[in-house]
Amino acid sequence: MSFITQFFQRNSIYVATIFGGAFAFQTFFDVTVTKWYENHNKGKLWKDVKVKFLEGAGEEEDDE
């Protein structure tokens, strides 16, 4: 018997392989898209502009 036939002979192993592959793909896809999105929008995200807004809010309070 070939490796594939023997490996997928039991339904539980087949289902576990599908779930494991789906989890691995989801993790890879999520990390890749997040890195691309953050790189593409660098300087526009909250984590990049938060310091400017907090410094600006502090200056406005001193003017009053």
Side-chain angles (χ1 to χ4, degrees):
M1 289 188 168
S2 70
F3 175 74
I4 300 295
T5 307
Q6 196 169 18
F7 186 70
F8 292 124
Q9 195 169 12
R10 297 190 60 171
N11 190 40
S12 60
I13 295 174
Y14 179 72
V15 170
T17 302
I18 297 297
F19 278 104
F23 180 77
F25 176 76
Q26 180 266 334
T27 303
F28 168 76
F29 187 79
D30 184 50
V31 168
T32 304
V33 169
T34 301
K35 283 183 180 181
W36 175 83
Y37 180 81
E38 289 178 353
N39 190 30
H40 185 70
N41 292 303
K42 191 172 280 187
K44 302 179 212 172
L45 300 174
W46 174 247
K47 66 180 182 178
D48 298 330
V49 298
K50 178 171 54 173
V51 176
K52 293 178 184 177
F53 279 110
L54 295 178
E55 288 175 355
E59 292 173 2
E60 290 175 8
E61 292 174 2
D62 292 340
D63 292 340
E64 292 178 5

